[in-house]
């Protein structure tokens, strides 16, 4: 009898233990959407009884800090909203758990999410139904412009006289540069303003995100579609060279003085302080502009990347998926968070709080496009995305592009052709080390 | 009343006293130094040997599942034939030579002036040493504002002196100016340290020597060259050694100011090494790089310390 009691008690204790409330830590970048996620997660805490903790790291050191955590098998993070390019390394090195079985068991279908976000944030190898993350935050590089300046009759007249077209959001990159030149060093309300804020940051990924955002529409391709990792003539094609030259010419002509090392934060500062007419930045910044005292409301407009010389239109993908860290001891509890997060009503609330949901039910809702002034631009931009390499060696590939792009665009060393040839050589060496040839 | 040794001996438990009585002086000495040696082995020597071992492999921390292969001296060959390594070493040498030269010249001059007795001497000393009490990250951050072409005070100061447009140049964004931008900030921050060491040297010179020189009617110029400088030289050389070692591994200030840019203009060896180790995750390669830098610093420092000892013995 005593033995039976003991066994029953032990079983009950096990069951109670399994249902015991857990402390979960979610790791992400320190930015506005992270604050929205804290707010959103309160609902999860109330429903599950689990307590959420958050570890947010500024973008410029986010990759350093979190990849260090993953590589060292650290147990700090149970859930990771990691950058899209980490997916290859995290999958191949067993740092994220594979979610296919979990998705099947809980009726979560990847078809319910924007296809580009599934490919970009969840799949590895790309194009195969192997999922390591749930698309959590859709993001893409686009543009904001000073709608109030564009609307000034005297500026409209002057612009039309000079360029024989209306001062309006540009349809091509050439038009974008003309607008930037038009505003560069212009006096507006007694203050000198500048053409455009673009990415130039050297340390992490900034200038690569900016250059790629332009290069795609000029014809740049990562490799031969027929022969993977064959980059000669694709990365350094004539059209890619023209794209890089264009980016440098934009940097030389039209950025505010001292813009040699700027990324998202610096772009936000330049735009909110009224320094620039155009600003390149990820879509996550747009809700902040919309409510800003200086540039909010009708003062700001949004547009997707304009077309390149041949009419091609692409944009650099941002955003992340949410994964369960393989080193975590609380994987089951972490999965309950993903299950909760995938629900349509939670995703709808996520969008309302300022998070860019990747769920099609949310973005394809008839009211979505008009729900915010930037919603349509977000949809247009998400339809034309491309992403950087997501290979396990992504960090090495990224450092090579950072070096070559910054050296040419900002430091002014060599030519665009030399920079892209050097990039091909570096990337080739990296893939050779990886045994890709 | 028994002396303290007798009291300690009486208080020692007989069993322990018996054990200790059986130990030689040499054994007791080893017992005392053993914890320190163990710590040194664990914290310094083992990591060094492990780094050397890693430097001979293709190990990558972010690929725990990959087989680790022995590559011999291949990593060393790659590093020494990589033009980027030499560019980093060149940038480091430029930074090192100019910061040390400026800090020694300005630091010694300040120490010489502060050493004179004048009113508010202590206040000036405190004000001068303030920069070195700040965190390098903070210094780097506020100097990026000072260097900002539109609002930076530094640009306005230069514009005031030269008449140039303050927005027409970017100290941290131009290839020609960025190396000087980091030199200026490091000099601003660390000259007080050199000054303090020099001041200690100057204050260690007995006044009687100057009094004797005065009796011999030696000029101030002569006193400086034959008394002040030679007697302060060991201190000055010590300051050079400290600053040399510190600046060879300079990282935080430069990352904050320029991120190694524009391009790779201010990518010092420590930044290059960090990128290889913790951004590209080429652990084996980075280990070899670290060993090369260690040997370089160790070799140069050893030669320098020998020279320093010679000067002290003179």
């Amino acid at each position: 009898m005593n033995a039976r009691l003991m066994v029953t008690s032990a079983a009950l204790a096990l069951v109670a233990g399994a249902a015991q409330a857990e402390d979960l830590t979610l790791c992400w970048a320190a930015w506005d959407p992270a604050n929205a996620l804290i707010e959103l997660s309160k609902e999860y805490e109330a429903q599950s009884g689990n307590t959420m903790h958050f570890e947010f790291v500024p973008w410029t050191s986010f990759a350093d800090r979190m990849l260090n955590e993953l590589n060292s098998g650290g147990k700090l993070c149970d859930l990771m909203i990691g950058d899209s390019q980490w997916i290859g390394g995290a999958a191949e090195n067993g740092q994220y758990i594979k979610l296919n079985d979990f998705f099947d068991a809980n009726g979560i279908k990847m078809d319910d999410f924007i296809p580009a976000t599934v490919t970009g944030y969840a799949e590895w190898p790309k194009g195969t139904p192997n999922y390591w993350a749930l698309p959590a935050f859709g993001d893409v590089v686009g543009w904001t412009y000073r709608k109030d300046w564009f609307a000034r009759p005297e500026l409209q007249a002057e612009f039309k006289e000079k360029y024989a077209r209306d001062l309006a959001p540009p349809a091509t990159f050439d038009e974008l540069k003309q607008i930037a030149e038009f505003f560069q060093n212009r006096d507006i309300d007694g203050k000198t303003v500048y053409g455009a804020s673009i990415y130039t940051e050297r340390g992490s990924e900034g200038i690569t995100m900016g250059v790629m955002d332009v290069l795609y529409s000029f014809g740049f391709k990562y490799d031969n579609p027929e022969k993977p990792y064959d980059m000669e003539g694709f990365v350094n094609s004539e059209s890619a060279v023209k794209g890089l030259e264009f980016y440098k010419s934009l940097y030389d002509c039209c950025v505010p003085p001292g813009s040699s090392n700027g990324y998202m934060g610096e772009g936000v500062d330049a735009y909110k302080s009224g320094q620039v007419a155009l600003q390149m930045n990820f879509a996550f910044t747009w809700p902040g502009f919309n409510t800003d005292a200086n540039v909010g409301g009708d003062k700001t407009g949004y547009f997707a990347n304009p077309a390149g010389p041949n009419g091609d239109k692409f944009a650099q993908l941002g955003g992340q998926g949410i994964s369960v860290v393989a080193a975590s001891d609380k994987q089951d509890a972490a999965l309950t968070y993903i299950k909760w997060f995938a629900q349509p009503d939670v995703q709808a609330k996520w969008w309302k709080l300022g998070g860019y949901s990747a769920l099609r039910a949310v973005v394809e809702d008839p009211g979505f496009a008009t729900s915010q002034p930037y919603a349509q631009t977000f949809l247009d931009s998400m339809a034309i995305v491309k992403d950087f390499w997501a290979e396990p060696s992504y960090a090495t590939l990224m450092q090579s592009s950072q070096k070559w792009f910054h050296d040419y665009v900002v430091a002014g060393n060599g030519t665009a052709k030399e920079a892209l040839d050097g990039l091909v050589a570096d990337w080739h060496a990296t893939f050779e080390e990886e045994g890709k040839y | 009343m028994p002396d303290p040794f007798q009291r300690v001996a009486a208080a020692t438990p007989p069993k322990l006293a018996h054990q200790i009585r059986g130990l030689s002086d040499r054994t007791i000495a080893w017992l005392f130094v053993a914890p320190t040696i163990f710590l040194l082995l664990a914290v310094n020597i083992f990591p060094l040997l492990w780094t050397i071992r890693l430097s001979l492999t293709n190990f990558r921390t972010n690929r725990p599942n990959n087989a680790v292969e022995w590559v011999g001296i291949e990593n060393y060959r790659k590093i020494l034939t990589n033009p980027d390594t030499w560019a980093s070493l060149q940038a480091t040498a430029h930074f090192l030579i100019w910061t040390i030269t400026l800090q020694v010249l300005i630091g010694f001059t300040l120490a010489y002036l502060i050493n004179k007795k004048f009113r508010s001497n202590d206040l000036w000393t405190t004000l001068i040493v303030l920069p070195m009490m700040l965190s390098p990250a903070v210094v780097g951050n506020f100097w990026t504002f000072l260097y900002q072409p539109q609002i930076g005070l530094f640009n306005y100061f230069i514009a005031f002196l030269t008449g140039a447009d303050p927005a027409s140049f970017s100290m941290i964004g131009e290839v020609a100016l960025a190396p000087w931008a980091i030199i200026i900030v490091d000099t601003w921050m660390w000259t007080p340290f050199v000054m303090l060491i020099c001041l200690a040297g100057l204050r260690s010179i007995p006044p009687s020597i100057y009094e004797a020189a005065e009796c011999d009617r030696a000029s101030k110029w002569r006193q400086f060259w034959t008394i002040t400088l030679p007697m302060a030289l060991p201190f000055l050389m010590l300051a050079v050694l400290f600053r040399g070692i510190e600046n060879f591994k300079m990282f935080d200030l430069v990352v904050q100011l320029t991120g190694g840019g524009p391009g790779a203009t201010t990518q010092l060896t420590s930044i290059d090494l960090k990128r290889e180790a913790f951004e590209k995750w080429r652990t084996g390669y980075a280990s070899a790089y670290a060993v090369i830098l260690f040997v370089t610093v160790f070799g140069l420092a050893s030669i320098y310390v020998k020279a320093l000892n010679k000067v002290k013995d003179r």
Side-chain angles (χ1 to χ4, degrees):
Chain A
M1 181 68 184
N2 276 350
R4 194 182 296 168
L5 250 178
M6 277 174 69
V7 169
T8 311
S9 304
L12 277 173
L14 273 174
V15 172
Q20 201 180 348
E22 293 276 16
D23 280 357
L24 291 174
T25 302
L26 186 151
C27 297
W28 200 12
W31 55 338
D32 288 347
N35 299 326
L37 191 66
I38 293 177
E39 194 58 35
L40 185 73
S41 299
K42 285 176 183 166
E43 197 176 285
Y44 168 77
E45 289 180 310
Q47 283 177 20
S48 67
N50 293 338
T51 306
M52 292 301 294
H53 300 275
F54 298 91
E55 185 73 22
F56 298 147
V57 179
W59 267 113
T60 45
S61 43
F62 177 55
D64 267 13
R65 172 77 184 85
M66 290 307 163
L67 289 177
N68 213 337
E69 185 65 25
L70 290 175
N71 291 331
S72 62
K75 294 180 184 295
L76 170 70
C77 314
D78 302 300
L79 289 151
M80 175 75 78
I81 305 190
D83 228 348
S84 55
Q85 301 100 330
W86 305 357
I87 200 84
E92 289 199 7
N93 298 316
Q95 293 161 346
Y96 290 164
I97 67 165
K98 196 172 179 181
L99 297 173
N100 286 53
D101 292 344
F102 166 75
F103 286 165
D104 291 344
N106 290 281
I108 299 171
K109 297 189 194 80
M110 285 295 103
D111 290 346
D112 292 342
F113 291 84
I114 301 171
T117 65
V118 176
T119 308
Y121 312 156
E123 287 177 1
W124 187 260
K126 296 290 177 200
T128 68
N130 294 288
Y131 306 118
W132 306 86
L134 178 95
F137 186 88
D139 205 356
V140 58
V141 177
W143 295 82
T144 48
Y145 70 99
R146 288 299 298 263
K147 213 171 169 182
D148 53 337
W149 296 355
F150 276 45
R152 294 188 179 197
E154 73 279 12
L155 294 181
Q156 283 185 338
E158 189 184 332
F159 187 86
K160 190 154 195 168
E161 194 185 333
K162 196 169 179 186
Y163 297 106
R165 62 183 176 85
D166 290 335
L167 179 55
T172 65
F173 272 111
D174 279 343
E175 288 183 8
L176 183 140
K177 192 179 164 197
Q178 286 173 354
I179 295 171
E181 282 171 338
F182 178 75
F183 279 102
Q184 184 72 3
N185 290 318
R186 181 167 288 275
D187 191 287
I188 291 188
D189 300 333
K191 188 177 158 189
T192 305
V193 304
Y194 304 95
S197 166
I198 59 174
Y199 292 159
T200 56
E201 186 252 6
R202 169 70 176 89
S204 58
E205 58 171 22
I207 196 164
T208 302
M209 293 292 105
V211 168
M212 288 304 183
D213 189 54
V214 171
L215 251 56
Y216 296 142
S217 304
F218 275 76
F220 168 95
K221 285 187 175 60
Y222 283 102
D223 54 3
N224 183 346
E226 307 298 320
K227 195 179 169 193
Y229 307 109
D230 175 20
M231 296 167 289
E232 187 64 43
F234 292 88
V235 168
N236 55 353
S237 64
E238 205 173 305
S239 51
V241 169
K242 285 208 172 85
L244 188 55
E245 283 169 349
F246 173 84
Y247 200 82
K248 177 162 175 57
S249 71
L250 196 58
Y251 173 77
D252 287 341
C253 80
C254 304
V255 299
S259 304
S260 57
N261 197 23
Y263 196 21
M264 299 178 268
E266 288 76 9
V268 169
D269 290 344
Y271 189 74
K272 281 188 176 176
S273 61
Q275 282 187 66
V276 290
L278 302 167
Q279 185 223 183
M280 162 194 275
N281 221 329
F282 281 106
F284 84 88
T285 58
W286 298 347
F289 297 134
N290 194 39
T291 54
D292 187 73
N294 286 334
V295 297
D298 286 343
K299 289 182 179 172
T300 292
Y302 310 86
F303 62 91
N305 249 6
N310 299 322
D312 292 338
K313 248 178 119 166
F314 295 104
Q316 174 60 47
L317 180 71
Q320 302 86 33
I322 183 167
S323 303
V324 175
V325 177
S328 165
D329 296 327
K330 303 164 191 165
Q331 292 180 6
D332 289 342
L335 287 168
T336 65
Y337 185 88
I338 293 188
K339 185 181 172 186
W340 165 82
F341 187 71
Q343 296 173 92
D345 56 328
V346 174
Q347 288 287 312
K349 194 173 175 191
W350 179 219
W351 164 247
K352 278 186 190 144
L353 287 171
Y356 283 91
S357 171
L359 193 71
R360 288 172 62 183
V362 174
V363 299
E364 289 174 3
D365 183 280
F368 180 85
T370 52
S371 60
Q372 295 289 352
Y374 45 82
Q376 185 60 53
T377 307
F378 172 69
L379 289 178
D380 295 344
S381 299
M382 285 304 288
I384 55 171
V385 290
K386 284 194 176 194
D387 200 7
F388 191 76
W389 294 108
E391 299 283 327
S393 54
Y394 123 84
T396 311
L397 300 165
M398 177 64 80
Q399 278 308 315
S400 300
S401 58
Q402 285 289 105
K403 183 189 81 174
W404 285 107
F405 291 157
H406 207 268
D407 207 36
Y408 171 65
V409 174
V410 177
N413 291 328
T415 64
K417 178 82 173 90
E418 284 166 358
L420 291 172
D421 286 348
L423 185 59
V424 170
D426 277 9
W427 281 358
H428 192 278
T430 302
F431 285 129
E432 200 159 38
E433 266 186 37
E434 297 285 310
K436 300 288 185 191
Y437 301 110
Chain B
M1 193 177 171
D3 68 25
F5 293 109
Q6 283 174 329
R7 273 189 285 145
V8 170
T12 307
K15 200 176 170 187
L16 180 64
H18 178 73
Q19 283 174 348
I20 292 174
R21 209 173 292 132
L23 299 177
S24 66
D25 287 353
R26 195 179 174 79
T27 310
I28 291 171
W30 271 110
L31 276 176
F32 277 115
V33 297
T36 311
I37 289 179
F38 176 75
L39 267 178
L40 275 175
L41 284 172
V43 177
N44 285 349
I45 307 301
F46 172 72
L48 178 65
L49 294 176
W50 193 252
T51 305
I52 293 170
R53 182 185 166 276
L54 287 178
S55 74
L56 303 170
T57 70
N58 68 346
F59 178 63
R60 301 178 80 121
T61 314
N62 65 341
R63 306 291 172 78
N65 303 329
N66 282 13
V68 179
E69 286 170 20
W70 186 262
V71 295
I73 58 165
E74 182 60 15
N75 286 329
Y76 291 90
R77 190 195 62 76
K78 276 185 187 168
I79 292 164
L80 294 173
T81 54
N82 184 350
D84 289 348
T85 309
W86 292 103
S88 286
L89 281 168
Q90 209 174 345
T92 309
H94 181 270
F95 176 71
L96 213 61
I97 289 167
W98 279 105
T99 49
I100 290 175
T101 305
L102 290 172
Q103 286 169 27
V104 164
L105 285 175
I106 302 170
F108 190 81
T109 309
L110 286 174
Y112 193 75
L113 294 173
I114 289 287
N115 196 34
K116 306 284 175 199
K117 298 283 176 233
F118 62 92
R119 275 181 67 187
S120 68
N121 180 300
D122 291 342
L123 176 70
W124 279 106
T125 309
T126 310
L127 287 177
I128 289 170
V129 300
L130 273 179
M132 63 177 264
M133 294 176 185
L134 299 171
S135 147
V138 172
V139 171
N141 209 15
F142 79 65
W143 271 91
T144 52
F145 287 111
L146 291 176
Y147 282 146
Q148 222 288 331
Q150 294 173 74
I151 56 164
L153 287 178
F154 184 88
N155 279 39
Y156 274 89
F157 178 68
I158 297 296
F160 175 75
L161 293 179
T162 63
D165 177 7
S168 66
F169 63 98
S170 170
M171 286 298 292
I172 54 178
E174 289 174 27
V175 174
L177 298 177
W180 295 101
I182 60 174
I183 288 168
I184 289 169
V185 180
D186 190 77
T187 303
W188 176 82
M189 188 172 180
W190 290 110
T191 295
F193 176 75
V194 177
M195 183 201 81
L196 283 182
I197 293 181
C198 292
L199 197 58
L202 293 175
R203 288 191 176 161
S204 71
I205 303 171
S208 57
I209 299 179
Y210 288 108
E211 288 162 14
E214 291 282 343
C215 289
D216 290 343
R217 294 174 178 263
S219 67
K220 291 286 179 197
W221 185 246
R222 177 96 177 149
Q223 285 177 32
F224 177 80
W225 284 106
T226 54
I227 301 171
T228 310
L229 197 58
M231 295 196 78
L233 194 59
F235 290 85
L236 209 55
M237 288 182 74
L238 204 61
V240 169
L241 180 69
F242 286 153
R243 291 309 306 142
I245 291 172
E246 277 298 305
N247 277 3
F248 197 85
K249 56 187 187 183
M250 169 56 67
F251 180 79
D252 38 15
L253 194 67
V254 178
V255 164
Q256 197 69 35
L257 278 166
T258 64
T265 310
T266 58
Q267 183 161 289
L268 308 182
T269 47
S270 55
I271 300 174
D272 199 20
L273 176 58
K274 185 259 180 183
R275 286 194 168 137
E276 293 295 341
F278 299 110
E279 289 176 20
K280 298 181 181 177
W281 299 98
R282 300 167 78 189
T283 316
Y285 182 93
S287 298
Y289 203 161
V291 169
I292 289 172
L293 294 184
F294 170 75
V295 169
T296 309
V297 176
F298 189 78
L300 289 175
S302 300
I303 295 167
Y304 191 83
V305 168
K306 272 192 181 167
L308 179 65
N309 287 335
K310 272 187 186 168
V311 170
K312 269 166 59 185
D313 294 342
R314 241 187 0 217

